[in-house]
Amino acid sequence: MKAWKFEDNINTDLITPGRYNMTTDETQLGKIAFIEYRPEFSKNVKKGDYIIAGKNFGCGSSREHAPVALKAAGVSAVIAKSFARIFFRNCINVGLPIFICNQTELIDDGDIIQTNINENIIVNETKKISIPILSPPEFIQKIMLSGGLIEFLRRDSYV
Amino acid sequence: MSQTITEKILAHVSNKKEVFPGDYVVSDIDWIMFHDSTGPLTIKGFEDIGKRICNKEKIVTFFDHFYPAPNIEAAKLHQISRRFIDLQGLNNHHTDGICHQILAEKYVKPGNVVVGADSHTCTLGALGSFATGLGSTDIAGVMATGKCWFKVPDNMKIHYTNKLKKGVYAKDVILKTAGLIGSEGADYFAIEFSGDYIKSSSISERLTMCNMAVELGAKNGIIEPDEKTLEFTGNQGLFFKSDYNASYEKEFSIDVSQFGPQIACPNSVDNVKPVEEVAGTPIDQAFIGTCTNGRLDDIEIVARILKSYKVKQSTRLIVIPASMNVYLRAFQKGYIQIISSAGGIISSPSCGPCIGRHNGVLADGEVCISTQNRNFNGRMGSPKSMIYLSSPASAAASAITGEITDPRDYL
Ligand code: SF4
């Protein structure tokens, strides 16, 4: 699916501007992701698309609205060089898959990519290369894939 | 491999021999906290999970952020939490002070792992525990499982050398630190506060330092336990210490004898200046209290400064002890009487105006000097008000003159 490329230090205000945070409705939040910073994203993002970013993605306030909005917009994973601490935790807990990749410069805006979690790689189909990712351990992936901490704990528990 | 105190605690509670920064662990949790502000969301998350409470004795709940309720909305939130607390039979419920203060006074022991639905849970690291703030969803998960996942943080060590000069306190030291390393300088780190100043400091001073670890971006702040910790916590707990050759990603050294009182100017905690540079700025309110500086030694300094002075007529001085225990001891020692006679307002133990909910909310254009830990725009009320952060001594001296004042002239 398509890669949407972002730079370093994307903060939660750029993802979900403060004045749109009044709602907790997911569908509503899905429509406002990057609404001011990159309006074409909120209009054209397709289910399964990826966000590719530089360092410190998700810095700023600890609002859970930001990862919820990206997930609701259909983003299948955020892949960045590093994440802000609370955003990182929030992503896992709300079920938005995230991966750390030290070479996100090998992916350009609009490239078609796939993740292969079993082999810890991203395949950049446009550029015909595969790029390593650091994926979190199995139990963290289980939390992300079950849709978040609440869903995970409803059915499962930590070992 | 040599390990830091934070790594040792996390390894211990997740049944591992050692852990490294970046590792993920699932830890057993000793204390789980929520309060009136974060309680309702935590309760909702917990109910969505649909499991039973894992260990009631480990959950400690508080009404402190807006207690007693200042309006109907707040009263309703208390109702939601109170129903849940009663229904679940949670017996560690407190209305006698600020969550972090009461956790320090009554619950947390060295080596414990403490999580709270409040960012300043890191305060408890002062007792040699691993303590960190989490979101409401996370706390709901811990209530259902007794466990929590963590990513092991990188380590930063700050050595504080030498002795404080007269009129300089722990708050000035941590404000100076914020000015030096910045509000994101310790992002994701465990900060270990160490050095001879820390060794000689009281538990109250250590609580002030660790309280503000999160203002530097840290996951936790921690101080190795010693004889003072032992005495304060009644000889209980596990005493972890960093290995002498443990490795730190970042290390700083700060000579505490090299600076005077510090003030963090609006609107960020790292906008720190020596008091001389901002002295003379007119204020409308001085507030002494909060989990940062609402303890007995803080109130004692205020009483000492106000003993032969009066609060300026155009200025409000608000003093709020951090717990009922502090309040009663301040009363016995006569501090409350001195402050009241000088024109100060004393409120019952709670967060008070720290988050602009009650007991001293600011209007447009008003200026407050406060001993709290955050001066974000609008935190104490109007977005057009301004907050300067300081030690209790600087705030008390400023209440006398009605402008930001160097406390050394009054000591
Ligand atoms: S006193 Fe202020 S900083 Fe401390 S817990 Fe209360 S609201 Fe938070």
Side-chain angles (χ1 to χ4, degrees):
Chain A
M1 296 300 288
K2 193 175 144 178
W4 293 82
K5 186 77 184 282
F6 290 83
E7 60 270 47
D8 291 347
N9 298 315
I10 294 292
N11 69 49
T12 49
D13 275 301
L14 301 177
I15 304 172
T16 49
R19 57 200 182 82
Y20 291 95
N21 276 338
M22 303 314 285
T23 178
T24 49
D25 181 66
E26 295 190 9
T27 339
Q28 211 44 41
L29 282 170
K31 291 191 192 128
I32 62 144
F34 290 114
I35 190 158
E36 288 177 347
Y37 184 64
R38 216 173 150 181
E40 79 279 11
F41 176 89
S42 46
K43 271 194 228 115
N44 300 333
V45 63
K46 296 254 154 35
K47 193 167 166 40
D49 283 356
Y50 292 90
I51 286 181
I52 309 295
K55 281 188 261 180
N56 203 23
F57 189 86
C59 55
S61 101
S62 64
R63 61 181 71 127
E64 264 178 351
H65 299 80
V68 170
L70 295 179
K71 190 183 164 198
V75 169
S76 64
V78 184
I79 300 164
K81 287 192 174 161
S82 66
F83 292 91
R85 174 175 84 92
I86 302 177
F87 183 83
F88 183 85
R89 197 168 182 99
N90 285 346
C91 283
I92 291 166
N93 288 339
V94 307
L96 174 65
I98 47 176
F99 301 100
I100 294 171
C101 169
N102 295 322
Q103 293 169 286
T104 53
E105 65 274 3
L106 298 177
I107 302 168
D108 288 316
D109 197 49
D111 282 0
I112 299 301
I113 61 168
Q114 297 265 9
T115 46
N116 180 337
I117 305 175
N118 296 332
E119 291 181 33
N120 290 328
I121 50 167
I122 310 170
V123 180
N124 186 335
E125 293 177 353
T126 308
K127 299 205 164 53
K128 309 256 173 295
I129 43 174
S130 56
I131 307 158
I133 48 175
L134 293 172
S135 59
E138 217 179 310
F139 79 90
I140 295 282
Q141 285 184 37
K142 256 170 112 185
I143 300 175
M144 294 194 298
L145 297 175
S146 50
L149 186 70
I150 290 184
E151 283 303 316
F152 170 75
L153 292 177
R154 278 168 82 114
R155 285 182 255 135
D156 221 324
S157 201
Y158 302 112
V159 257
Chain B
M1 267 290 284
S2 51
Q3 300 266 290
T4 66
I5 175 169
T6 295
E7 290 163 350
K8 285 186 183 175
I9 297 175
L10 287 176
H12 177 77
V13 294
S14 50
N15 288 316
K16 291 194 154 64
K17 232 177 102 219
E18 49 187 18
V19 296
F20 300 95
D23 284 0
Y24 294 80
V25 295
V26 176
S27 300
D28 290 326
I29 303 297
D30 295 294
W31 302 111
I32 308 156
M33 183 277 285
F34 69 77
H35 54 59
D36 43 0
S37 187
T38 52
L41 254 187
T42 308
I43 293 166
K44 185 178 174 296
F46 177 78
E47 286 171 347
D48 287 347
I49 295 169
K51 293 200 171 164
R52 283 162 174 274
I53 286 193
C54 172
N55 198 340
K56 283 181 195 171
E57 297 71 51
K58 293 185 173 176
I59 300 176
V60 193
T61 60
F62 293 88
F63 286 177
D64 56 355
H65 277 59
F66 34 84
Y67 187 81
N71 53 36
I72 299 171
E73 187 189 77
K76 281 188 186 154
L77 292 175
H78 284 157
Q79 235 170 10
I80 296 173
S81 294
R82 198 177 291 114
R83 277 197 197 122
F84 180 82
I85 287 163
D86 289 349
L87 183 78
Q88 299 287 344
L90 302 179
N91 293 325
N92 300 326
H93 179 56
H94 290 269
T95 56
D96 57 343
I98 304 169
C99 49
H100 313 303
Q101 176 65 20
I102 304 277
L103 282 170
E105 287 177 8
K106 302 200 166 134
Y107 294 93
V108 175
K109 309 291 175 215
N112 282 172
V113 176
V114 188
V115 294
D118 187 284
S119 56
H120 293 104
T121 306
C122 58
T123 310
L124 284 316
L127 303 177
S129 73
F130 175 82
T132 192
L134 296 175
S136 293
T137 308
D138 269 314
I139 296 296
V142 184
M143 288 185 358
T145 60
K147 292 178 191 290
C148 187
W149 67 268
F150 295 113
K151 191 174 168 198
V152 178
D154 284 317
N155 294 284
M156 172 187 292
K157 189 169 193 165
I158 312 181
H159 302 267
Y160 295 94
T161 56
N162 268 320
K163 289 201 170 69
L164 299 175
K165 283 202 288 220
K166 188 177 160 205
V168 184
Y169 302 90
K171 181 61 165 291
D172 299 300
V173 175
I174 193 68
L175 289 178
K176 180 78 188 173
T177 310
L180 287 172
I181 74 173
S183 63
E184 281 153 30
D187 246 348
Y188 204 71
F189 278 79
I191 308 181
E192 191 175 326
F193 298 105
S194 68
D196 35 307
Y197 162 65
I198 298 292
K199 282 211 185 76
S200 68
S201 67
S202 66
I203 296 293
S204 175
E205 291 176 276
R206 297 176 190 185
L207 288 163
T208 301
M209 301 287 295
C210 288
N211 176 267
M212 292 191 62
V214 67
E215 303 310 324
L216 313 177
K219 176 170 189 140
N220 67 309
I222 195 161
I223 292 174
E224 285 185 349
D226 60 11
E227 321 72 56
K228 286 181 198 161
T229 328
L230 201 72
E231 199 196 318
F232 185 85
T233 56
N235 268 326
Q236 291 175 42
L238 290 170
F239 281 59
F240 293 100
K241 298 210 169 216
S242 295
D243 291 322
Y244 74 96
N245 57 351
S247 72
Y248 295 85
E249 192 96 306
K250 291 187 186 173
E251 279 190 70
F252 296 95
S253 192
I254 297 177
D255 181 344
V256 302
S257 68
Q258 290 303 307
F259 50 87
Q262 305 288 310
I263 309 279
C265 301
N267 288 329
S268 121
V269 70
D270 53 6
N271 186 14
V272 176
K273 298 187 177 145
V275 66
E276 300 89 321
E277 272 182 39
V278 279
T281 309
I283 58 158
D284 300 282
Q285 177 169 305
F287 169 44
I288 292 145
T290 78
C291 54
T292 320
N293 278 123
R295 283 174 283 277
L296 193 64
D297 53 331
D298 300 316
I299 295 174
E300 183 200 340
I301 295 159
V302 178
R304 212 162 76 210
I305 290 177
L306 284 175
K307 205 161 176 153
S308 18
Y309 294 94
K310 289 255 180 278
V311 173
K312 192 164 183 200
Q313 198 189 343
S314 55
T315 309
R316 307 181 287 276
L317 169 66
I318 300 167
V319 178
I320 308 188
S323 71
M324 198 54 86
N325 176 35
V326 171
Y327 189 117
L328 289 172
R329 284 196 292 156
F331 194 84
Q332 278 158 7
K333 294 198 172 258
Y335 306 152
I336 300 286
Q337 295 85 324
I338 294 171
I339 296 167
S340 307
S341 313
I345 300 158
I346 313 277
S347 290
S348 61
S350 70
C351 299
C354 181
I355 40 161
R357 298 293 287 261
H358 68 156
N359 279 343
V361 178
L362 302 180
D364 285 5
E366 285 198 317
V367 177
C368 180
I369 185 164
S370 168
T371 66
Q372 67 197 60
N373 44 37
R374 278 191 183 148
N375 57 352
F376 299 156
N377 193 10
R379 182 164 168 100
M380 298 183 81
S382 160
K384 292 191 185 123
S385 59
M386 283 194 285
I387 310 167
Y388 289 83
L389 306 178
S390 78
S391 73
S394 302
S398 306
I400 297 170
T401 59
E403 54 186 48
I404 295 179
T405 299
D406 191 331
R408 290 170 292 195
D409 304 338
Y410 289 84
L411 284 164

